[in-house]
Structures are given as C-alpha cells and as structure tokens.
Amino acid sequence: MYAENLMKKIQDRSAVLGVVGLGYVGLPLAVEKARAGYRVVGFDIQPSRVSRVNAGVNYIGDVVDRDLAEMVRMGRLTAECDFSGISRCDCAAICVPTPLDRYAQPDISYVKNSAEQIARHLRPGCLVVLESTSYPGTTEEVVYGELRKAGFEAGKDVFVAFSPERVDPGNRVYSTRNTPKVVGGLTPRCTRLAAALYSRVLEGEIHTVSSPKVAEMEKILENTFRSINIALANEMAILCDRMGIPVWEVIDAARTKPYGFMAFYPGPGLGGHCIPVDPYYLTWKAREYGYHTRLIELAGEINSAMPEYVVGRIAAVLNQKGKSLSAARLFLLGLTFKADIDDLRESPALKVLGLLEERGCEILAHDPFHREIARGEKTLPITPVTPEALSGCDMAVVLTAHSCYDPVMIERHANLIFDTRNLTKGLTSPKIVRL
C-alpha cells in the first residue's frame, strides 16, 4: 500500500522531496529535483544558507545561478532550518558532511543527527536516501538504525537506500544532472522506489545494486582508486627528480598507449571533500574485520607527505641560488585544491602555505576566487599577479594551475618559478623548476 502510493507520487511528480544539507552536494541535487518538476524543501542548520536559497542567491559553483533563481521564483524550491518540515515530505535525501576527526577516524555525527531529525518527523510511507559518502554499513546501521528506533520497518512503512553523490567540482562535462547514478536499497522495493525517483530527476544512467553496502563500497572504491594512482604519480615525481628525468614528459609519453594506462598527475598533495578523506573510512571499517589495508594507507602517507616534500624542493632550489628559505620572499599562485573552482577544503596549497609560514618566509599569494585567506586570527590579503609583484619576489610557486594564469607573462617577470602543476608546459626557461 505505502509503496504503491509513493510510486504513484514519484511518477506523477506530486511527491514533495526533502534535501537535508544544502552544501556542495545538497544544493545541486535540490535544484535538479525542482527542475524535474517536483516541489523541493531544503533543510540546513546554517541560517545564512537558508536565507540565500530563499532569496534565489547561489553560493555553489556547480549550480547555475539562473536555475536556482527560477526554481525559487516558481515556488518549487524553498529552504528552512526547522526540521519539523520533514513531516511534509514524501522523500528525504541526506547530503551532509562526513569528515574525519583529529584521529583520522570517521565522524558521522552529521549523518546521525540528520537521521534522528528525520526519524522524529517522518511520516509512514516515505523514502529516505543517504547520499553522504561513508563506510559500508552506515545506511543500515546508522540511518535505518534511527528509523527502526522510531518504529519503522524497511520495505513496509519506510523505504531506505544509499545513492552516493558523484560531484566533480568544476567539471564542465559531467554534473549532478548527467552523471550516472548508483542506487542500492535495503530491500528490492526500496531500490525500485529510489531508482524510480532518480530516473525522473537525472539524465544519467541509473545503475542498481543489491544492497546499500555495495553502493557504499563502490563509492569508496572510486575515490580510493584516485588516491592510490595519484600517490603513484607523486612517488614517480620524487624518483624522477632524483634521476634527473622530467616526470611530466614521462606521463605524456605513457598516455599515448591506447589501453592499460590512465594518466594521473603529481601535485603538492590531495585536496577536496572526498579523495583525502574517504579511503580512511574504509581503513577504519576494515579493522573491524581484522584486515589491515596496507596499500590504501601507504597511498595516504605518500600523498600527505607531498606538501612537506614541495617545501623541501623549494628550499633546495633557493639554496642553489644562495638564498635561504627563511629569508625568502615567495609569491604563491593558486590556493584552491583544484583549478578554476573556489573550494579551499583540504587544499594542499594551504598546507604548503602553512609550512612556509612556519619557516619564516615572507608570503604573497594570489587566487582569483578569493579576496583574502583566513590564517587563524589573521588574514592573508590577495596580491594581484603583476610584473612588479613577480619580479619583487625570489620565487613564484605555482600550486594551482588556474586558467587565468599566463605562464609566458609569469616566466618573463619572475626571478624563479617552482611549478607543481605543469602550468609552464612547453616553456624551456632555466628559471623554471618543475615538480
């Protein structure tokens, strides 16, 4: 009875959809659901986000400004802080952060708190989908655990699934709308309902799996795959430097093979909300089963050590020019974790910045998406990339290869360049040292 009623509402788009968490994952999803013709209510504990959504003001790079404004104007999308509004929803998606604590262990407090609020206000016959990346078992143990405490039974009067978010900030080809979606429910009925909803919201293929645990593990595999291959690229960069071999040329040559090779590139470390974090969810869970994930943890160690390695290389290059690191004036170019986005989360550039500050360097910095960078109780102002600023520093350090940077202009005016992102590819100046 409940399943049939909900399926009918999904099919005729009369279902009211709730999205808990209006950040990098939740807001794009809420906008897509509204664009698909559903009435959407977003929930967030931050009043500033709620007020901006209700004013139709966008704050997420992967959301098209006019799409958000239009959905709000049409009354399809609203936001609120009061979670009692869940009682008006037929479906609820949980899109909240899953960070690590200071011991590099999963912090699922946001998921648990969201599940508690949903369980408190949910009415029978609704669908609850976890999208936040977490260890295998979270959907069943944490989300359904809270719903079960409230008296709900999966597949009968509540429908529970996991469908991992796949957000690649700044990707101009794949977005929330057209990226294939994986769905795994606690029961076949749960899977069918969740798949039916996403098939009406998104353009990408819907791939169903046998359980939430499969979908949870699949998402961690995606990000662990990237972490391990980036670690390999970073280790190759370290070895190539010692052997006097240009690693970027090596990778370009290897990628000419049409099979069996996928190009990954070195850099100053890992950043963002997924790659540096998600593999640790799996290593933590693996201990419960008496297994030590050696390869995954080693990759994490290599990637985590890259900011320190970069600083060491900078110091060595300066020493060759008769300049000590502590007396140097450096111009850091790019501070976000990835080119052409504004996201500073877990950015390795900030870690490099912190290490350089500890060593007493005078720092100038630029990032096109920020006017200043918070540094504890102080702020670091953004310095425009001008010939005068470049020539007035001992070295320019490329940490994020934003497309606005002109490598020819930088090479012309900088005294030295340490390039961690191959921005200067094709230039042969002796001023340039690459990772």
Side-chain angles (χ1 to χ4, degrees), residues 83-354:
F83 281 72
S84 65
I86 292 288
S87 62
R88 308 195 308 273
C89 297
D90 300 290
C91 307
I94 300 174
C95 307
V96 295
T98 49
L100 298 173
D101 65 19
R102 60 177 180 168
Y103 304 109
Q105 295 181 344
D107 175 5
I108 56 168
S109 59
Y110 297 98
V111 173
K112 189 174 188 303
N113 292 340
S114 299
E116 288 174 350
Q117 290 287 349
I118 291 172
R120 187 174 298 135
H121 301 292
L122 195 71
R123 64 173 186 260
C126 293
L127 169 67
V128 179
V129 182
L130 176 63
E131 290 224 0
S132 306
T133 306
S134 188
Y135 57 83
T138 303
T139 303
E140 185 172 358
E141 297 163 13
V142 179
V143 176
Y144 181 47
E146 294 300 324
L147 296 171
R148 192 165 45 215
K149 287 179 190 176
F152 291 102
E153 184 176 351
K156 293 188 177 180
D157 57 0
V158 72
F159 308 99
V160 183
F162 180 75
S163 183
E165 55 90 358
R166 283 173 163 173
V167 176
D168 185 16
N171 192 317
R172 297 179 182 179
V173 176
Y174 289 104
S175 63
T176 299
R177 183 180 309 168
N178 65 352
T179 300
K181 202 84 166 86
V182 173
V183 178
L186 280 176
T187 69
R189 187 174 289 168
C190 297
T191 302
R192 283 195 300 272
L193 287 165
L197 175 60
Y198 284 114
S199 69
R200 284 160 179 78
V201 170
L202 306 175
E203 297 173 0
E205 173 194 356
I206 309 302
H207 181 85
T208 60
V209 295
S210 59
S211 70
K213 286 184 178 179
V214 171
E216 288 161 337
M217 182 66 91
E218 174 278 321
K219 177 57 193 293
I220 291 184
L221 173 60
E222 290 179 26
N223 291 340
T224 301
F225 173 84
R226 289 189 60 80
S227 175
I228 289 172
N229 281 280
I230 291 170
L232 175 61
N234 284 330
E235 194 160 59
M236 287 294 292
I238 295 169
L239 180 59
C240 283
D241 173 57
R242 294 190 181 186
M243 298 177 69
I245 301 170
V247 69
W248 302 96
E249 189 177 352
V250 170
I251 296 171
D252 281 346
R255 67 180 297 190
T256 63
K257 185 179 181 180
Y259 53 89
F261 182 83
M262 180 181 293
F264 287 81
Y265 299 96
L270 287 183
H273 68 295
C274 285
I275 311 298
V277 174
D278 297 350
Y280 288 100
Y281 271 66
L282 187 57
T283 61
W284 176 83
K285 189 65 175 179
R287 296 186 197 116
E288 181 181 324
Y289 295 87
Y291 188 76
H292 180 56
T293 52
R294 292 167 292 172
L295 180 60
I296 297 172
E297 293 179 38
L298 180 58
E301 292 175 15
I302 293 169
N303 292 326
S304 296
M306 286 306 292
E308 188 76 51
Y309 173 75
V310 166
V311 171
R313 286 284 308 278
I314 292 170
V317 173
L318 288 169
N319 284 340
Q320 290 175 356
K321 302 296 181 180
K323 191 81 175 183
S324 70
L325 186 60
S326 60
R329 191 178 202 222
L330 305 179
F331 196 170
L332 307 187
L333 302 178
L335 297 173
T336 57
F337 86 86
K338 184 180 178 182
D340 298 332
I341 65 170
D342 64 355
D343 198 342
L344 293 167
R345 287 178 297 173
E346 302 293 328
S347 175
L350 296 182
K351 296 171 186 175
V352 171
L353 169 59

